[in-house]
């Protein structure tokens, strides 16, 4: 029997070696892998296609890259780690004096053993990333540099799956899929999204869920460009990133600041003693800044553990398979499911007998505690709160917050009252 921890970590392991970028075969291979578990639609957008204020870039293909001594000894090789080559490096095959090579090298003097991750998608150049300790050993007068790449018209790929619910209202779950061999920043969220989608596909749900696996920034921009009609149906959204490290879970609020998704995430984090991990919106970070741009203004927050940019392993070779922990991935999935449980069950109900208290004894509801049919249990006071506040405008979350009763108990009480004919759904 494969545990959920093993499944999640297995996805990270399987995808780790692939050299992904914002276009190209590594990205396609990643989407095909996701497609083994989900009924994924893979879209290809031709290079040069105008999307919002951008254009889809040409496709980048890499076959290899090396710095060698003139005697032929390899110093840095793409074959050892795909982080060694700056993404979107243009082709080079030359011998360079060391002084001319230097501006093309990237290392981290403060983390001298780590290889940084660098990209140059929109400025045409080439470069190598290497450990600072390796760089300090470069003392020869000249080196041979080869970058075997092509940058030519092709397409940008993204994957999408819709899991229809009872309503057309949608929840958007978005994970960027463009980073090469980095485990937490990228793969952890893809793994959690895969298992979340599988869970939802196997269980009935009220809302429709749309999962998007796309390269950061330009992928989200492509999707937004082509989905203006879908955007109107999005009620809540989550960007998933950095979900596999041992840091405590965190939530960055949507651009709206107090959208329902923000209240759900805040409720769950507070309930887990993580109130200090609620972060305000800011227009940086991941694709929440595209979804939260003023023209779209979508209620899309971001769930992470340690947010990108705040841990020393971020965008370095130390964001590897050891940095991501199976138990952290499983905990992130559990937390995401708690938020989805709130999305599914938060409703506004109307008390059908609002003049005076309805007679509960006649309906078997007096001291009905513990008789809830769902897993959640409730006490008599919770039942009274739900009856009193089901006025056609207060939601179950409003009632939970006001009463201090657990949301799951409020939901169970409402289900019991509905079964007794005392509540009717407000559309
Ligand atoms: Zn990143």
């Amino acid at each position: 029997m494969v545990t959920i921890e093993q499944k999640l970590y297995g996805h990270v392991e399987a995808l780790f070696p692939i050299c992904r970028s914002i276009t190209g075969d590594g990205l396609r291979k990643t989407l095909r892998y996701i497609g083994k578990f989900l009924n994924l639609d893979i879209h290809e957008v031709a290079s040069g296609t105008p999307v919002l204020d951008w254009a889809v870039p040409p496709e980048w293909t890499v076959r290899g890259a090396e710095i060698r001594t003139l005697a032929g000894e390899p110093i840095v090789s793409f074959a050892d780690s795909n982080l060694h080559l700056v993404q979107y490096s243009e082709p080079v095959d030359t011998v360079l004096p060391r002084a001319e090579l230097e501006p093309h090298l990237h290392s981290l003097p403060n983390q001298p053993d780590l290889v940084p991750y660098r990209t140059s998608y929109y400025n045409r150049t080439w470069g190598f990333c290497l450990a600072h300790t390796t760089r300090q050993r470069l003392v020869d007068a000249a080196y041979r540099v080869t970058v075997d790449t092509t940058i030519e018209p092709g397409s940008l790929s993204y994957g999408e799956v819709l899991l229809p619910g009872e309503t057309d209202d949608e929840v958007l779950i978005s994970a960027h899929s463009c980073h090469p061999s980095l485990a937490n920043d990228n793969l952890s969220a893809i793994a959690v999204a895969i298992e979340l989608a599988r869970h939802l596909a196997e269980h009935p749900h009220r809302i429709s869920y749309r999962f998007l696996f796309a390269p950061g920034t330009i992928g989200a921009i492509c999707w937004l460009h082509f989905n203006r009609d879908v955007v109107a149906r999005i009620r809540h959204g989550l960007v998933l990133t950095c979900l596999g490290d041992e840091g405590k879970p965190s939530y960055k609020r949507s651009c709206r600041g107090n959208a329902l998704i923000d209240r759900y995430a805040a409720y769950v984090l507070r309930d887990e003693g993580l109130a200090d991990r609620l972060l305000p919106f800011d227009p940086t970070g991941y694709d929440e800044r595209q979804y939260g741009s003023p023209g779209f203004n979508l209620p899309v927050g971001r769930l992470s553990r340690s947010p990108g940019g705040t841990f020393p392993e971020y965008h370095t070779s130390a964001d590897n398979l050891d940095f991501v922990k199976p138990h952290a991935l499983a905990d992130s999935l559990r937390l995401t499911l708690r938020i989805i449980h709130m999305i599914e069950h938060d409703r506004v109900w109307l008390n059908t007998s609002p003049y005076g208290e309805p007679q509960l004894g006649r309906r078997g509801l007096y001291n009905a505690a513990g008789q809830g049919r769902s897993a959640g249990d409730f006490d008599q006071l919770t039942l009274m709160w739900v009856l009193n506040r089901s006025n056609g405008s207060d939601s179950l979350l409003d009632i939970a917050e006001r009463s201090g009763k657990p949301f799951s108990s409020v939901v169970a009480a409402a289900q019991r009252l509905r079964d007794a004919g005392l509540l009717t759904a407000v559309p």
Side-chain angles (χ1 to χ4, degrees), residues 368-379 382 406-413:
Q371 293 171 27
R373 288 193 308 199
S374 73
D377 207 354
F378 59 90
D379 60 13
T382 307
F407 180 78
S408 57
S409 301
V410 172
V411 169

Side-chain angles (χ1 to χ4, degrees), residues 117 176 179 182 185-186 286 314-315:
Y117 161 58
H176 69 288
H179 286 28
L182 296 170
D185 183 7
N186 208 165
Y286 294 90
Y314 174 76
H315 280 191

Side-chain angles (χ1 to χ4, degrees), residues 145-161:
V145 179
T146 51
V147 176
D148 184 9
T149 56
T150 43
I151 303 175
E152 53 191 25
S155 60
L156 175 149
S157 323
Y158 68 85
E160 183 178 24
V161 59

